[in-house]
Structures are given as C-alpha cells and as structure tokens.
Amino acid sequence: MEHLSTSRSLRLRAVIHGAVQGVGFRPFVYRLADELSLAGWVSNTAQGVVLEVEGAREALAAFRARLEAEAPPHAVVQHLEASWLDAAGYVGFEIRHSDAAGAKTALVLPDLATCAACRRELFDPADRRYRYPFINCTHCGPRYSIIRALPYDRPNTTMRGFPMCPACRAEYDDPRDRRFHAQPNACPACGPRVEWWDASGAVLAARDDAARAAAAAIRDGLIVAVKGVGGFHLLADARDDDAVRRLRARKGREAKPFALMAPSLDAARELCEVSADEARLLCASAAPMVLLRSRLDGVSPSSISPAIAPGNPYLGVMLPYTPLHHLLLAELGFAVVATSGNRSDEPICTDEREALIRLHGIADAFLVHDRPIARHVDDSIARVILGREQVLRRARGYAPLPAPLPGATRPLLAVGAHLKGAVAIAVDGQAMISQHLGDLETEEAHRAFREAAAGLGRLYDARPEAVICDRHPDYRSTRYADSLGLPVLRVQHHYAHVRACMAEHGLDGPVLGVAWDGAGYGDDGTIWGGEFLLADGEGYTRAAHLRPFRLPGGDAAAREPRRSALGVLYALFGDALFTMDLPLRAAFSTGEWQGMATMLARGVNAPLTTSAGRLFDAAAALAGLRQYARFEGQAAMELEFCLTEDAAAYPFALAGPVVDWAPTIRALLADAGAPAGVVSARFHHALAAMIVAVARAVGVARVALTGGCFQNRYLTERSVDALRAAGFRPYWHQRVPPNDGGIALGQLAAAAMLE
Ligand code: ZN
Ligand code: ZN
Ligand code: FE
C-alpha cells in the first residue's frame, strides 16, 4: 500500500461570491490564517475570491466559523461553497495575484436568499418597500431563475417587462448604493406584484391584501399554491393533521416526507436538533432544505402533524428565503409544509396559468405574481455529515455554480443518467452543473431535461463539441445524446459515480471507488450496483463486486423488496427454495409464488444484478420491515432508521473479486426473532466490513464512497470510521450528490481525463 501521511492535516477550500473584492477581504483572510497558523493562499478570480488553507483540524474549524462571522464591515458574502480536501503541503500563507485565467467565463450566480438589510427594510413601516414582496439588492434576490441570456443585464432577465421608476433607477445608477446594478431592483411603484386567486383563477385580492389573505387561508387549513423563486410550492399548516393528510391524498404522495418551512431558526430548533454547522447551513444564502434530527419526542404532539415524515427520524427544514415567504411566515408564526407544486414525478410548476391547470384539485387557492420564472429550480437538500456539508439535491442556491475541472479544455456536454437528472457542461476548466431536473419518467420531465440540456450551452455561449452519456442504451438521456449529431462518449454508470467523487476532491488516482446504488448498466450487460472500481489516470478496472443474484420481475423489484428477498434466497437455495417453509412465502399469493418459481428457474424476466440497493431491500424484507415500497429506497431507509444498538457484524466471504453476502443472509435468517434494530446493525456492519476487506485486498489507500446507497448516513459514517481505523483514507461527496445527481459531473471528469 502506498504511504499515507499520518498527520491530521487537512485543507479547506472556499469559493466566495459577493461584495468581497476591494473591501479588505484578502488581508482579513491573511490575518485570520496567520493567527491560526494556517498555510495556504487567497486570490481574486473570475469566479470570486478563492482561498485554500490547511493545517490542524481544530484550527481549520475555527477558521471556517470566523470567516463569515468576523468578515470586514463592508464585505458581503453572498455565497460560500466550502470543501474539505487533503492537505497540499503549503508552506506559509500568501495573497496570490489575481488569476486572469478563466476570466472569459461569465459567472451566473444562483438565486440568493433575502439578505438581512433587505429583511429589515421589508418590516420597516418607514421604508418605501415596507412589506414589498420583491425587495432585493446586489447581495440577494433571484439570479439563475430569472436569467434568459448573458450578459446578466436587466433586458436579459425576466425583469425586462418592468421599467424602473425614477427612485429605483437612481439607486441602480449610484455606485454607493446597495442596489447599484441590482438587476431585479424594483419597488411597489414599478415592480412585480402579487395576486390572490381562487382555484379558477379569479382575482380575489392584490398586493398586501393578497399576502394577508393567503396567510389567513393557510391558518384556516387550506392548501395554498405559492409562486416562489424557482417555481410553485404547496403550503399548508404543518400542525394541522387534516390539512397535511389532504395534501398527501391530493398530491398522490403516500409516504415521501414533506419539507417544512419554519418561521425562524428558533422555531426550527423547537422541532429539531440544530448544531452550529447546521444552523450556518440553514441561514446561508443558498438556504437549502436541511435534513435535521427531529425532536418530536420532546414536543407536544400538536406542534406538527405525524403525517409529515412518517417513520422518519429526520425532518427537511428550510427557512424563508424570499420576501414573500418572510411576509407569510411572520404573519403565521408557525411552520408550514412547503412541498414542490407538482403532481408526483412531474417537474415543479413555474407559470401561474399552467399551475391553475396542473395543480387543479390540489391547491384550494393561488398566491401568484407577474415576475416570470425563466427556468424551474427546486429547493436544494443538504445535510451535515461527518462534520461537513453534503448536498443531496443540488438546485436552488447552488445551481449553476461550477465545480473546478482542470482537464476540460473544450466545451463538452454531459447528460447524466435517468433518475435524479442533471446535465453539465465543461467550459474553460469548469463544470457548470444544471439544477436538479427530476426523474426522466414523465413526458414533462423529459421536456424539462431537453430544455436544460440545450439551455445551459446557450447560457454560456458554449457549443459542445462532444456529448457524454450513460452506457444504458434505453435511457432517455442516452437517446437524446445520440440525437444531437455530435461525437458521443458513453461512460459506465458506476465509473461516472467514482469520477464525480474524485473530481470533487481533485484526485487523479489510484482510487478504489465503492459505487453502490440501485442499478446501472454494466460493461457485461448485466445490472451493476455493488461495484468496487479501481480508477486511475487511464480509466478503471472492476476490482470486485457483490455476488450477483436474480431479480424476479426486473424493474418491478425496485418497488417490491419481497422480489429482491426472493432473488437473494434463490441464490442461496436454488429451486429447493420453493418447497421450503419460509416466512417470505406469506408475502406472495399462490399464483405469484408459482410465477416467481418459473421466472427464477428459467432465468426469464429475472435479470442478474450486483445491486447493493436491492440487497438492502432484501435485508429489509427478510427482517420483516416492508414487502412493498412506495418509492425506491424506502425499505432501505426504514432498515437504516430502525437501527438501535451496536452489535457484531454478520459474516461474509471474499472469494476473489466476488464479495459473497451468502453468509450474511444465512446469519440474518438464523437471527429470526431478534429485534429488527439489531438485525439492521449487524447487516450495516457487515457491509462496512466488506468495504474494508476489499480495500485491504486491493491495497490502495484512497477509497471513494459514492452512489445512492451512500445517502444512508449510518452506512457512510460506519464505513468512513472503519476505513480510517484500518489505515485507509476515505472520501465522500460534499458539493454534488452521491446519487445520480452527481453523474453528469463524473461523466465530464471521465471525458476530460481523455482529452
Ligand atoms: Zn438584499
Ligand atoms: Zn421602483
Ligand atoms: Fe447510480
């Protein structure tokens, strides 16, 4: 194994946008680094202020906390993205000369949450924008969701239809004003306005009366569609069990958790445990929905409906991020459900006329406005794991900020996979990553995907010279790539996962990539999903994989854990399975049971898979937790959430490149009667031990954990701990999701490496 530095040295990289140039920010960073004995550099670049500091973990944590808290008085941090990387071996700290490279690429900022100064004015009766729902300034407000073309000037935004009044124009033209060149600048005299519509689109109220009427309707238990920054939300009183259940029924959303919008950080703390890092994430200008551990045990049952996140110990919470949200939530004073305004599996609605039709029968009334939305942008989802931020859905507040991709010299387009769609283009050594586009299951989603794929290149004036897609021939994204008439590069799904994680950390290899997910097209034509890929500067080899098993019914297994369980047992027992007396038998009718037996015996409609996600499903089904899932991953989530105590790992076997879970499943079956929480612990620990065992066999120090299975917090934490204890250096995702939302970046990274 290659030598690993034993020092606890780490590197923190931060990219900061905002009014941080020319206000003493770089000297401030220098002094702070010096005081904390950190090495590194800070530089002004076309992408904003970029800094890297390295040193002891504790000093870096202090630096991170003080970077925003103690910034110079006139510095305004609009947006900050931080990543934790391996130390680079810097000596001393320097202010680097401004970097001219990359200056050609214009930066499109994401939509930024309302800043503190605008918030104060919003609630100041003496201010001319008192209670004006579109107040913004150069430090905050919509960006990506209103930009139609570059350069970012008002005529190129959806604000072009709102000529500024003299007062707004004076602010816009005054370099000393907070609204100097604030493209969405507006006021009640000249800017967009809100209206309150009934379900047929009849106008019932306008302006402030509209906002107050909407708040009153939510208080009365109605479901209100609210046009936000990147699309519609459906809002309902989170305390009102009846309203929440009505919303579930109308939306056709049976089990997936609903997001909450809490009126304040203090209100969020009443619902959830909030660490200092989590508080910073909630209050950041990206204002993502943050997954927080619920404190529901500790609060009165009436504070929130149990139907919001059934069986889930986490709540997705965000704070108000537009002036309109601030007005509504200040009026209400309690948390509301804030779920995306769509029918299940369709993209979020962005246009009020379209919303009337698509949300017909779901929303009781509509709070709309006349500022058009140029592209739909969902709420982002993030969490703090292992002391670092991790983005699980990259959309509002993050898109389309780039990730550095030094090897990318010519424009390339990557179209991602099929689920959790996102596209990306490489321009001048940067990967511009689109917002989350949803699963490409419906015609609506596919249309949104095509618009985003074409629109991203247009926005940056980049004509892709090649397109990169998945190797799966039937993905809509693959067929789209083939239709463009460009050279097409097909990148294996799990290799793209691994490259995404490597790109985030600036790694070239060799890296052992542990890519575990539900399904991806394998190089041998079978369904992969439990992969150990050894990646380096040349490409990859499949170092190991989970033992394959058959999935009776193929894709149907994603929603029926009982099928995965049956496939796993068939691998153990063969045809004898069908004469055995098993509890799983009760999950099938007699006809189904015979059908399964035929499919498995003949290998018809029972494809082979190495999927770790389906192995999780099998374990959940065999532990008696769930035979049918309302959404992919539900059973695995329940298995994770029921885990109660530390318990010894189930055994497994390593046979050459095959990680054999047969001993694991046999032990799990023998454990019948043990509480599910114990079964879950033993199963999770076995999987972490498998990762360490393969890492030992391969003998590469760096191990990247990637793929949808690593949305599982416990699996990620346990694997990282076990790898570290065994002397390995684990990596996990921070800025792009471990799930298929990260695939487009990985595809670009794989292609850029070949350039
Ligand atoms: Zn502002
Ligand atoms: Zn005005
Ligand atoms: Fe995947």
Side-chain angles (χ1 to χ4, degrees), residues 49-78:
V49 169
V50 181
L51 67 88
E52 294 193 357
V53 287
E54 65 184 45
R57 194 177 294 267
E58 301 71 31
L60 287 171
F63 180 93
R64 173 73 181 92
R66 293 171 62 182
L67 185 61
E68 285 168 277
E70 298 177 15
H74 295 288
V76 179
V77 175
Q78 279 176 325

PDB file of all heavy atoms in Angstrom, residues 49-78:
ATOM      1  N   VAL A  49     -13.689  35.200  -4.886  1.00  0.00           N
ATOM      2  CA  VAL A  49     -12.492  35.007  -4.070  1.00  0.00           C
ATOM      3  C   VAL A  49     -12.354  33.519  -3.782  1.00  0.00           C
ATOM      4  O   VAL A  49     -13.290  32.882  -3.301  1.00  0.00           O
ATOM      5  CB  VAL A  49     -12.577  35.810  -2.750  1.00  0.00           C
ATOM      6  CG1 VAL A  49     -11.472  35.386  -1.792  1.00  0.00           C
ATOM      7  CG2 VAL A  49     -12.484  37.300  -3.039  1.00  0.00           C
ATOM      8  N   VAL A  50     -11.198  32.975  -4.125  1.00  0.00           N
ATOM      9  CA  VAL A  50     -10.930  31.569  -3.836  1.00  0.00           C
ATOM     10  C   VAL A  50      -9.821  31.521  -2.805  1.00  0.00           C
ATOM     11  O   VAL A  50      -8.834  32.251  -2.917  1.00  0.00           O
ATOM     12  CB  VAL A  50     -10.506  30.805  -5.104  1.00  0.00           C
ATOM     13  CG1 VAL A  50     -10.262  29.326  -4.778  1.00  0.00           C
ATOM     14  CG2 VAL A  50     -11.571  30.930  -6.180  1.00  0.00           C
ATOM     15  N   LEU A  51      -9.998  30.686  -1.795  1.00  0.00           N
ATOM     16  CA  LEU A  51      -8.937  30.542  -0.807  1.00  0.00           C
ATOM     17  C   LEU A  51      -8.779  29.084  -0.436  1.00  0.00           C
ATOM     18  O   LEU A  51      -9.723  28.291  -0.521  1.00  0.00           O
ATOM     19  CB  LEU A  51      -9.219  31.392   0.433  1.00  0.00           C
ATOM     20  CG  LEU A  51     -10.400  31.011   1.324  1.00  0.00           C
ATOM     21  CD1 LEU A  51     -10.008  29.994   2.381  1.00  0.00           C
ATOM     22  CD2 LEU A  51     -10.955  32.245   2.001  1.00  0.00           C
ATOM     23  N   GLU A  52      -7.561  28.745  -0.065  1.00  0.00           N
ATOM     24  CA  GLU A  52      -7.282  27.419   0.465  1.00  0.00           C
ATOM     25  C   GLU A  52      -6.410  27.590   1.692  1.00  0.00           C
ATOM     26  O   GLU A  52      -5.417  28.318   1.655  1.00  0.00           O
ATOM     27  CB  GLU A  52      -6.567  26.542  -0.569  1.00  0.00           C
ATOM     28  CG  GLU A  52      -7.435  26.234  -1.774  1.00  0.00           C
ATOM     29  CD  GLU A  52      -6.885  25.127  -2.665  1.00  0.00           C
ATOM     30  OE1 GLU A  52      -5.783  24.608  -2.384  1.00  0.00           O
ATOM     31  OE2 GLU A  52      -7.566  24.791  -3.643  1.00  0.00           O
ATOM     32  N   VAL A  53      -6.800  26.959   2.784  1.00  0.00           N
ATOM     33  CA  VAL A  53      -5.980  26.987   3.998  1.00  0.00           C
ATOM     34  C   VAL A  53      -5.820  25.553   4.472  1.00  0.00           C
ATOM     35  O   VAL A  53      -6.715  24.717   4.282  1.00  0.00           O
ATOM     36  CB  VAL A  53      -6.622  27.832   5.125  1.00  0.00           C
ATOM     37  CG1 VAL A  53      -6.522  29.311   4.810  1.00  0.00           C
ATOM     38  CG2 VAL A  53      -8.068  27.429   5.369  1.00  0.00           C
ATOM     39  N   GLU A  54      -4.684  25.262   5.054  1.00  0.00           N
ATOM     40  CA  GLU A  54      -4.510  23.924   5.601  1.00  0.00           C
ATOM     41  C   GLU A  54      -3.744  23.959   6.899  1.00  0.00           C
ATOM     42  O   GLU A  54      -2.999  24.898   7.189  1.00  0.00           O
ATOM     43  CB  GLU A  54      -3.862  22.991   4.591  1.00  0.00           C
ATOM     44  CG  GLU A  54      -2.444  23.349   4.194  1.00  0.00           C
ATOM     45  CD  GLU A  54      -1.935  22.394   3.114  1.00  0.00           C
ATOM     46  OE1 GLU A  54      -2.678  22.126   2.158  1.00  0.00           O
ATOM     47  OE2 GLU A  54      -0.795  21.928   3.239  1.00  0.00           O
ATOM     48  N   GLY A  55      -3.988  22.925   7.687  1.00  0.00           N
ATOM     49  CA  GLY A  55      -3.361  22.850   8.996  1.00  0.00           C
ATOM     50  C   GLY A  55      -4.146  21.897   9.871  1.00  0.00           C
ATOM     51  O   GLY A  55      -4.820  20.994   9.374  1.00  0.00           O
ATOM     52  N   ALA A  56      -4.092  22.140  11.172  1.00  0.00           N
ATOM     53  CA  ALA A  56      -4.754  21.237  12.109  1.00  0.00           C
ATOM     54  C   ALA A  56      -6.275  21.365  11.977  1.00  0.00           C
ATOM     55  O   ALA A  56      -6.800  22.447  11.695  1.00  0.00           O
ATOM     56  CB  ALA A  56      -4.320  21.557  13.535  1.00  0.00           C
ATOM     57  N   ARG A  57      -6.936  20.245  12.173  1.00  0.00           N
ATOM     58  CA  ARG A  57      -8.391  20.175  12.029  1.00  0.00           C
ATOM     59  C   ARG A  57      -9.110  21.240  12.855  1.00  0.00           C
ATOM     60  O   ARG A  57     -10.006  21.917  12.369  1.00  0.00           O
ATOM     61  CB  ARG A  57      -8.822  18.775  12.473  1.00  0.00           C
ATOM     62  CG  ARG A  57     -10.207  18.342  12.131  1.00  0.00           C
ATOM     63  CD  ARG A  57     -10.405  16.894  12.586  1.00  0.00           C
ATOM     64  NE  ARG A  57      -9.554  15.978  11.841  1.00  0.00           N
ATOM     65  CZ  ARG A  57      -9.942  15.333  10.722  1.00  0.00           C
ATOM     66  NH1 ARG A  57     -11.143  15.522  10.248  1.00  0.00           N
ATOM     67  NH2 ARG A  57      -9.125  14.513  10.110  1.00  0.00           N
ATOM     68  N   GLU A  58      -8.682  21.412  14.121  1.00  0.00           N
ATOM     69  CA  GLU A  58      -9.377  22.335  15.021  1.00  0.00           C
ATOM     70  C   GLU A  58      -9.183  23.782  14.540  1.00  0.00           C
ATOM     71  O   GLU A  58     -10.122  24.586  14.587  1.00  0.00           O
ATOM     72  CB  GLU A  58      -8.850  22.208  16.460  1.00  0.00           C
ATOM     73  CG  GLU A  58      -8.977  20.819  17.071  1.00  0.00           C
ATOM     74  CD  GLU A  58      -8.007  19.800  16.459  1.00  0.00           C
ATOM     75  OE1 GLU A  58      -6.897  20.190  16.036  1.00  0.00           O
ATOM     76  OE2 GLU A  58      -8.385  18.611  16.380  1.00  0.00           O
ATOM     77  N   ALA A  59      -7.969  24.093  14.099  1.00  0.00           N
ATOM     78  CA  ALA A  59      -7.707  25.452  13.626  1.00  0.00           C
ATOM     79  C   ALA A  59      -8.528  25.745  12.374  1.00  0.00           C
ATOM     80  O   ALA A  59      -9.030  26.862  12.186  1.00  0.00           O
ATOM     81  CB  ALA A  59      -6.210  25.630  13.351  1.00  0.00           C
ATOM     82  N   LEU A  60      -8.694  24.727  11.518  1.00  0.00           N
ATOM     83  CA  LEU A  60      -9.486  24.921  10.303  1.00  0.00           C
ATOM     84  C   LEU A  60     -10.951  25.148  10.638  1.00  0.00           C
ATOM     85  O   LEU A  60     -11.624  25.972  10.021  1.00  0.00           O
ATOM     86  CB  LEU A  60      -9.338  23.708   9.377  1.00  0.00           C
ATOM     87  CG  LEU A  60      -7.994  23.595   8.660  1.00  0.00           C
ATOM     88  CD1 LEU A  60      -7.887  22.254   7.948  1.00  0.00           C
ATOM     89  CD2 LEU A  60      -7.831  24.730   7.654  1.00  0.00           C
ATOM     90  N   ALA A  61     -11.431  24.422  11.625  1.00  0.00           N
ATOM     91  CA  ALA A  61     -12.830  24.592  12.028  1.00  0.00           C
ATOM     92  C   ALA A  61     -13.044  26.014  12.556  1.00  0.00           C
ATOM     93  O   ALA A  61     -14.053  26.654  12.259  1.00  0.00           O
ATOM     94  CB  ALA A  61     -13.204  23.547  13.081  1.00  0.00           C
ATOM     95  N   ALA A  62     -12.076  26.507  13.327  1.00  0.00           N
ATOM     96  CA  ALA A  62     -12.170  27.877  13.848  1.00  0.00           C
ATOM     97  C   ALA A  62     -12.137  28.878  12.689  1.00  0.00           C
ATOM     98  O   ALA A  62     -12.902  29.847  12.663  1.00  0.00           O
ATOM     99  CB  ALA A  62     -11.024  28.146  14.822  1.00  0.00           C
ATOM    100  N   PHE A  63     -11.276  28.615  11.720  1.00  0.00           N
ATOM    101  CA  PHE A  63     -11.179  29.494  10.548  1.00  0.00           C
ATOM    102  C   PHE A  63     -12.514  29.545   9.815  1.00  0.00           C
ATOM    103  O   PHE A  63     -13.021  30.619   9.471  1.00  0.00           O
ATOM    104  CB  PHE A  63     -10.076  28.974   9.617  1.00  0.00           C
ATOM    105  CG  PHE A  63      -9.888  29.797   8.380  1.00  0.00           C
ATOM    106  CD1 PHE A  63      -8.961  30.822   8.345  1.00  0.00           C
ATOM    107  CD2 PHE A  63     -10.650  29.549   7.232  1.00  0.00           C
ATOM    108  CE1 PHE A  63      -8.787  31.596   7.201  1.00  0.00           C
ATOM    109  CE2 PHE A  63     -10.495  30.312   6.093  1.00  0.00           C
ATOM    110  CZ  PHE A  63      -9.556  31.339   6.073  1.00  0.00           C
ATOM    111  N   ARG A  64     -13.098  28.371   9.609  1.00  0.00           N
ATOM    112  CA  ARG A  64     -14.369  28.278   8.885  1.00  0.00           C
ATOM    113  C   ARG A  64     -15.459  29.086   9.602  1.00  0.00           C
ATOM    114  O   ARG A  64     -16.239  29.797   8.978  1.00  0.00           O
ATOM    115  CB  ARG A  64     -14.771  26.808   8.754  1.00  0.00           C
ATOM    116  CG  ARG A  64     -16.154  26.557   8.171  1.00  0.00           C
ATOM    117  CD  ARG A  64     -16.173  26.843   6.696  1.00  0.00           C
ATOM    118  NE  ARG A  64     -17.512  26.633   6.132  1.00  0.00           N
ATOM    119  CZ  ARG A  64     -18.419  27.601   6.037  1.00  0.00           C
ATOM    120  NH1 ARG A  64     -18.160  28.801   6.510  1.00  0.00           N
ATOM    121  NH2 ARG A  64     -19.593  27.363   5.482  1.00  0.00           N
ATOM    122  N   ALA A  65     -15.490  28.969  10.920  1.00  0.00           N
ATOM    123  CA  ALA A  65     -16.535  29.648  11.690  1.00  0.00           C
ATOM    124  C   ALA A  65     -16.328  31.165  11.662  1.00  0.00           C
ATOM    125  O   ALA A  65     -17.289  31.930  11.586  1.00  0.00           O
ATOM    126  CB  ALA A  65     -16.541  29.128  13.127  1.00  0.00           C
ATOM    127  N   ARG A  66     -15.050  31.601  11.722  1.00  0.00           N
ATOM    128  CA  ARG A  66     -14.788  33.032  11.827  1.00  0.00           C
ATOM    129  C   ARG A  66     -14.772  33.734  10.477  1.00  0.00           C
ATOM    130  O   ARG A  66     -14.862  34.965  10.410  1.00  0.00           O
ATOM    131  CB  ARG A  66     -13.459  33.249  12.567  1.00  0.00           C
ATOM    132  CG  ARG A  66     -13.546  32.819  14.042  1.00  0.00           C
ATOM    133  CD  ARG A  66     -12.192  32.818  14.729  1.00  0.00           C
ATOM    134  NE  ARG A  66     -11.579  34.141  14.770  1.00  0.00           N
ATOM    135  CZ  ARG A  66     -10.369  34.383  15.282  1.00  0.00           C
ATOM    136  NH1 ARG A  66      -9.669  33.406  15.809  1.00  0.00           N
ATOM    137  NH2 ARG A  66      -9.872  35.604  15.271  1.00  0.00           N
ATOM    138  N   LEU A  67     -14.651  32.960   9.408  1.00  0.00           N
ATOM    139  CA  LEU A  67     -14.541  33.530   8.067  1.00  0.00           C
ATOM    140  C   LEU A  67     -15.726  34.439   7.749  1.00  0.00           C
ATOM    141  O   LEU A  67     -15.569  35.535   7.215  1.00  0.00           O
ATOM    142  CB  LEU A  67     -14.453  32.394   7.043  1.00  0.00           C
ATOM    143  CG  LEU A  67     -14.224  32.780   5.591  1.00  0.00           C
ATOM    144  CD1 LEU A  67     -12.903  33.526   5.429  1.00  0.00           C
ATOM    145  CD2 LEU A  67     -14.216  31.531   4.711  1.00  0.00           C
ATOM    146  N   GLU A  68     -16.922  33.993   8.093  1.00  0.00           N
ATOM    147  CA  GLU A  68     -18.100  34.819   7.840  1.00  0.00           C
ATOM    148  C   GLU A  68     -18.403  35.723   9.027  1.00  0.00           C
ATOM    149  O   GLU A  68     -18.767  36.881   8.861  1.00  0.00           O
ATOM    150  CB  GLU A  68     -19.306  33.931   7.545  1.00  0.00           C
ATOM    151  CG  GLU A  68     -19.259  33.325   6.164  1.00  0.00           C
ATOM    152  CD  GLU A  68     -20.286  32.222   5.993  1.00  0.00           C
ATOM    153  OE1 GLU A  68     -20.007  31.076   6.389  1.00  0.00           O
ATOM    154  OE2 GLU A  68     -21.373  32.521   5.478  1.00  0.00           O
ATOM    155  N   ALA A  69     -18.225  35.172  10.244  1.00  0.00           N
ATOM    156  CA  ALA A  69     -18.622  35.914  11.441  1.00  0.00           C
ATOM    157  C   ALA A  69     -17.807  37.191  11.623  1.00  0.00           C
ATOM    158  O   ALA A  69     -18.314  38.184  12.122  1.00  0.00           O
ATOM    159  CB  ALA A  69     -18.490  35.014  12.672  1.00  0.00           C
ATOM    160  N   GLU A  70     -16.527  37.170  11.220  1.00  0.00           N
ATOM    161  CA  GLU A  70     -15.660  38.311  11.502  1.00  0.00           C
ATOM    162  C   GLU A  70     -15.223  39.048  10.239  1.00  0.00           C
ATOM    163  O   GLU A  70     -14.257  39.803  10.260  1.00  0.00           O
ATOM    164  CB  GLU A  70     -14.432  37.834  12.289  1.00  0.00           C
ATOM    165  CG  GLU A  70     -14.807  37.227  13.640  1.00  0.00           C
ATOM    166  CD  GLU A  70     -13.600  36.682  14.397  1.00  0.00           C
ATOM    167  OE1 GLU A  70     -12.457  37.014  14.021  1.00  0.00           O
ATOM    168  OE2 GLU A  70     -13.827  35.918  15.345  1.00  0.00           O
ATOM    169  N   ALA A  71     -15.919  38.825   9.141  1.00  0.00           N
ATOM    170  CA  ALA A  71     -15.541  39.465   7.881  1.00  0.00           C
ATOM    171  C   ALA A  71     -15.570  40.984   8.026  1.00  0.00           C
ATOM    172  O   ALA A  71     -16.308  41.518   8.857  1.00  0.00           O
ATOM    173  CB  ALA A  71     -16.491  39.022   6.773  1.00  0.00           C
ATOM    174  N   PRO A  72     -14.769  41.710   7.220  1.00  0.00           N
ATOM    175  CA  PRO A  72     -14.736  43.175   7.325  1.00  0.00           C
ATOM    176  C   PRO A  72     -16.127  43.777   7.136  1.00  0.00           C
ATOM    177  O   PRO A  72     -16.971  43.187   6.447  1.00  0.00           O
ATOM    178  CB  PRO A  72     -13.815  43.600   6.173  1.00  0.00           C
ATOM    179  CG  PRO A  72     -13.073  42.383   5.780  1.00  0.00           C
ATOM    180  CD  PRO A  72     -13.880  41.202   6.177  1.00  0.00           C
ATOM    181  N   PRO A  73     -16.368  44.951   7.743  1.00  0.00           N
ATOM    182  CA  PRO A  73     -17.715  45.541   7.791  1.00  0.00           C
ATOM    183  C   PRO A  73     -18.383  45.673   6.417  1.00  0.00           C
ATOM    184  O   PRO A  73     -19.578  45.477   6.298  1.00  0.00           O
ATOM    185  CB  PRO A  73     -17.493  46.908   8.416  1.00  0.00           C
ATOM    186  CG  PRO A  73     -16.135  46.898   9.011  1.00  0.00           C
ATOM    187  CD  PRO A  73     -15.371  45.757   8.467  1.00  0.00           C
ATOM    188  N   HIS A  74     -17.618  46.012   5.384  1.00  0.00           N
ATOM    189  CA  HIS A  74     -18.266  46.237   4.097  1.00  0.00           C
ATOM    190  C   HIS A  74     -18.253  45.005   3.200  1.00  0.00           C
ATOM    191  O   HIS A  74     -18.725  45.050   2.075  1.00  0.00           O
ATOM    192  CB  HIS A  74     -17.633  47.433   3.389  1.00  0.00           C
ATOM    193  CG  HIS A  74     -17.864  48.702   4.146  1.00  0.00           C
ATOM    194  ND1 HIS A  74     -19.097  49.308   4.213  1.00  0.00           N
ATOM    195  CD2 HIS A  74     -17.044  49.441   4.920  1.00  0.00           C
ATOM    196  CE1 HIS A  74     -19.023  50.380   4.987  1.00  0.00           C
ATOM    197  NE2 HIS A  74     -17.783  50.484   5.432  1.00  0.00           N
ATOM    198  N   ALA A  75     -17.682  43.929   3.705  1.00  0.00           N
ATOM    199  CA  ALA A  75     -17.682  42.695   2.915  1.00  0.00           C
ATOM    200  C   ALA A  75     -19.044  42.036   3.050  1.00  0.00           C
ATOM    201  O   ALA A  75     -19.590  41.924   4.146  1.00  0.00           O
ATOM    202  CB  ALA A  75     -16.600  41.755   3.416  1.00  0.00           C
ATOM    203  N   VAL A  76     -19.628  41.671   1.936  1.00  0.00           N
ATOM    204  CA  VAL A  76     -20.885  40.936   1.984  1.00  0.00           C
ATOM    205  C   VAL A  76     -20.665  39.601   1.295  1.00  0.00           C
ATOM    206  O   VAL A  76     -20.347  39.551   0.111  1.00  0.00           O
ATOM    207  CB  VAL A  76     -22.019  41.706   1.286  1.00  0.00           C
ATOM    208  CG1 VAL A  76     -23.298  40.875   1.337  1.00  0.00           C
ATOM    209  CG2 VAL A  76     -22.234  43.049   1.939  1.00  0.00           C
ATOM    210  N   VAL A  77     -20.756  38.556   2.060  1.00  0.00           N
ATOM    211  CA  VAL A  77     -20.612  37.220   1.482  1.00  0.00           C
ATOM    212  C   VAL A  77     -21.974  36.806   0.944  1.00  0.00           C
ATOM    213  O   VAL A  77     -22.890  36.531   1.690  1.00  0.00           O
ATOM    214  CB  VAL A  77     -20.103  36.215   2.538  1.00  0.00           C
ATOM    215  CG1 VAL A  77     -20.080  34.813   1.966  1.00  0.00           C
ATOM    216  CG2 VAL A  77     -18.728  36.626   3.032  1.00  0.00           C
ATOM    217  N   GLN A  78     -22.089  36.862  -0.391  1.00  0.00           N
ATOM    218  CA  GLN A  78     -23.355  36.440  -0.998  1.00  0.00           C
ATOM    219  C   GLN A  78     -23.484  34.927  -0.940  1.00  0.00           C
ATOM    220  O   GLN A  78     -24.548  34.382  -0.752  1.00  0.00           O
ATOM    221  CB  GLN A  78     -23.389  36.833  -2.474  1.00  0.00           C
ATOM    222  CG  GLN A  78     -23.768  38.255  -2.747  1.00  0.00           C
ATOM    223  CD  GLN A  78     -23.670  38.537  -4.226  1.00  0.00           C
ATOM    224  OE1 GLN A  78     -22.799  38.016  -4.916  1.00  0.00           O
ATOM    225  NE2 GLN A  78     -24.566  39.345  -4.727  1.00  0.00           N
TER     226      GLN A  78
END
